[in-house]
Amino acid sequence: MSRITVNVDGTKYTDEVEPRTLLVQYLRERLGKVGTVVGCDTSNCGACTVHMDGHSVKSCSVLAVQADGHDVTTIEGLAQDGKLHPLQEAFHDNHALQCGYCTPGMIMQALDLLAEDPEPDDQAVREGMEGNLCRCTGYQNIVRAVRDAAQRMEPGAGPAAEHTDDTPMQRKPADERTGAEATGGRQS
């Protein structure tokens, strides 16, 4: 057994885990974070996407021991004070789901995409989401939802657990951005 300490959705947990335990298993079975779903177990579908230290990872390809000392945000960590995150609202309002199985991973990946590119066009959304599969929707409503969320989101709209001294990334009107900012790169 290995001892890990991980901050999940703003709460610190210290547990003993088998070294081979996947992060998705730890989140679901030990912490009850069942919004993070198990899809393919091979990192192909993206249904298990969560954030680790503010960046999306497929939790079926990360061991729980690798999350030791890190901050993890799940789909359950996005809503704040009973209010849905703008991405969750946009997915709902744009009917960007059918069965809903892929939706948590889609939303978590979209949050990472919007942190990198706060004003993506359709092609940028499609490219940014290509590691997440949906077998129901045909993707058009997902693209629409991500673009809608980009318009709704305020600077720093990510979960509070992901805010550090260098976040939130301040958005500027398109005509004021230059260099890395204009192409969606992170600010220093």
Side-chain angles (χ1 to χ4, degrees):
M1 297 290 267
S2 297
R3 184 177 205 73
I4 63 169
T5 299
V6 61
N7 186 1
V8 179
D9 296 336
T11 302
K12 186 177 180 178
Y13 297 91
T14 299
D15 283 304
E16 297 284 331
V17 297
E18 290 284 338
R20 65 181 182 216
T21 301
L22 296 173
L23 180 57
V24 68
Q25 293 169 321
Y26 175 71
L27 293 171
R28 290 179 58 81
E29 297 166 14
R30 185 71 61 93
L31 303 185
K33 301 289 186 174
V34 295
T36 302
V37 298
V38 178
C40 63
D41 267 339
T42 60
S43 77
N44 287 320
C45 75
C48 67
T49 302
V50 298
H51 282 203
M52 192 159 74
D53 296 333
H55 298 284
S56 62
V57 297
K58 294 177 180 175
S59 61
C60 73
S61 65
V62 175
L63 296 171
V65 294
Q66 291 175 297
D68 183 34
H70 295 278
D71 293 323
V72 175
T73 304
T74 70
I75 191 73
E76 289 97 339
L78 291 187
Q80 298 294 312
D81 300 321
K83 184 174 178 354
L84 292 178
H85 185 278
L87 264 165
Q88 292 169 310
E89 290 176 345
F91 267 68
H92 175 268
D93 294 348
N94 287 278
H95 310 288
L97 56 98
Q98 284 184 12
C99 81
Y101 201 80
C102 69
T103 305
M106 288 282 185
I107 289 172
M108 297 307 290
Q109 181 60 34
L111 184 60
D112 198 36
L113 166 67
L114 292 176
E116 293 291 327
D117 183 358
E119 297 176 12
D121 61 18
D122 284 4
Q123 186 61 32
V125 172
R126 289 180 185 284
E127 289 173 8
M129 302 295 290
E130 67 185 5
N132 291 70
L133 302 178
C134 176
R135 290 172 172 82
C136 302
T137 67
Y139 298 99
Q140 189 54 42
N141 288 350
I142 293 169
V143 172
R144 212 175 278 130
V146 173
R147 295 204 55 209
D148 180 21
Q151 299 303 308
R152 296 176 189 214
M153 287 174 61
E154 299 173 14
E162 293 185 3
H163 290 206
T164 62
D165 291 339
D166 63 342
T167 59
M169 188 171 96
Q170 296 297 314
R171 294 188 192 176
K172 298 177 183 175
D175 58 341
E176 292 180 21
R177 293 185 301 184
T178 59
E181 292 176 283
T183 59
R186 290 199 181 274
Q187 294 179 347
S188 304

